[in-house]
């Protein structure tokens, strides 16, 4: 790969790695977390392994730096968790505070999980969806009622 293309990719992957690892840091103290292994996380692990394997093909220092930053991006994505914490609901490394939530709902999803649906105050058109393990359902519902019980609203799921 050329010098300039490597430099551009290094800057891009460094920014992405910083953003993803910052999001992983913010979501480290969640009380209820989504299921760790999903299809997306498995695909990212495969991409990370392939990224590491291509390190044997390149000998240039810039290529190695780019591959290391790509691997950091994969690690940052895998460490990010969606879930529910004391401050709010975390989705893709971003915490939505309970005060910023207009309404929420929950419902069963597949046989081993359930979903929590959230509508934000400043963006009522967009719904945030968390998929959590079904064995935590009663605890999560009780926790949500404690944190924002009056905001519970039945929603159309889809």
């Amino acid at each position: 790969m050329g010098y300039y293309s490597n430099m551009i990719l290094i800057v891009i992957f460094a920014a992405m790695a910083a953003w993803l690892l910052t999001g992983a840091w913010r979501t480290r103290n969640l009380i209820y977390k989504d299921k760790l292994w999903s299809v997306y996380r498995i695909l990212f692990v495969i991409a990370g392994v392939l990224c590491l394997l291509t390190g044997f093909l390149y000998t240039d220092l810039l290529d190695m730096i780019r591959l290391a930053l790509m691997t950091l991006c994969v690690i940052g994505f895998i460490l990010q968790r969606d879930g529910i914490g004391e401050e709010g609901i975390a989705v893709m490394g971003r915490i939505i505070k309970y005060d910023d939530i207009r309404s929420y709902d929950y419902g069963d999803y597949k046989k081993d999980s359930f979903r929590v649906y959230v509508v934000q105050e400043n963006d009522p058109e967009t719904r945030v969806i968390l998929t959590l393990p079904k064995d935590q359902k009663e605890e999560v519902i009780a926790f949500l009622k404690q944190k924002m019980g009056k905001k519970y609203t039945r929603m159309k799921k889809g």
Side-chain angles (χ1 to χ4, degrees):
M1 207 173 243
Y3 176 79
Y4 292 109
S5 61
N6 257 337
M7 291 305 288
I8 290 169
L9 288 174
I10 285 172
V11 169
I12 290 170
F13 283 119
M16 285 175 52
W19 179 68
L20 289 168
L21 290 171
T22 301
W25 179 259
R26 275 191 228 126
T27 61
R28 72 190 183 288
N29 293 329
L30 296 176
I31 299 170
Y32 303 103
K33 298 178 182 179
D34 66 340
K35 296 182 351 180
L36 177 62
W37 293 110
S38 64
V39 174
Y40 302 113
R41 285 197 171 105
I42 292 170
L43 289 174
F44 264 81
V45 167
I46 292 169
V49 169
L50 292 175
C51 179
L52 290 174
L53 290 177
T54 58
F56 295 112
L57 301 175
Y58 296 104
T59 56
D60 187 20
L61 178 64
L62 289 177
D63 287 327
M64 293 298 189
I65 293 171
R66 177 179 46 83
L67 290 173
L69 289 170
M70 289 170 67
T71 305
L72 269 177
C73 287
V74 169
I75 291 169
F77 180 80
I78 292 169
L79 290 177
Q80 278 189 359
R81 300 294 299 271
D82 295 348
I84 300 170
E86 283 294 328
E87 310 91 47
I89 294 177
V91 178
M92 287 302 296
R94 185 174 62 107
I95 303 274
I96 303 168
K97 303 236 183 264
Y98 291 119
D99 293 339
D100 298 335
I101 294 175
R102 172 192 265 180
S103 60
Y104 76 96
D105 192 9
Y106 50 85
D108 290 335
Y109 178 74
K110 297 189 178 178
K111 64 179 181 182
D112 61 343
S113 57
F114 78 103
R115 284 188 166 172
V116 176
Y117 304 89
V118 176
V119 175
Q120 297 179 55
E121 195 70 51
N122 59 357
D123 189 10
E125 298 297 320
T126 305
R127 281 192 296 171
V128 175
I129 301 173
L130 291 175
T131 304
L132 300 165
K134 200 166 201 164
D135 59 347
Q136 295 178 340
K137 182 178 179 178
E138 299 304 321
E139 294 175 51
V140 169
I141 292 170
F143 186 79
L144 289 175
K145 284 180 182 177
Q146 173 194 359
K147 288 293 184 179
M148 53 181 185
K150 293 182 178 179
K151 295 183 179 183
Y152 176 71
T153 305
R154 293 303 292 166
M155 296 181 205
K156 180 180 176 188
K157 293 153 184 92

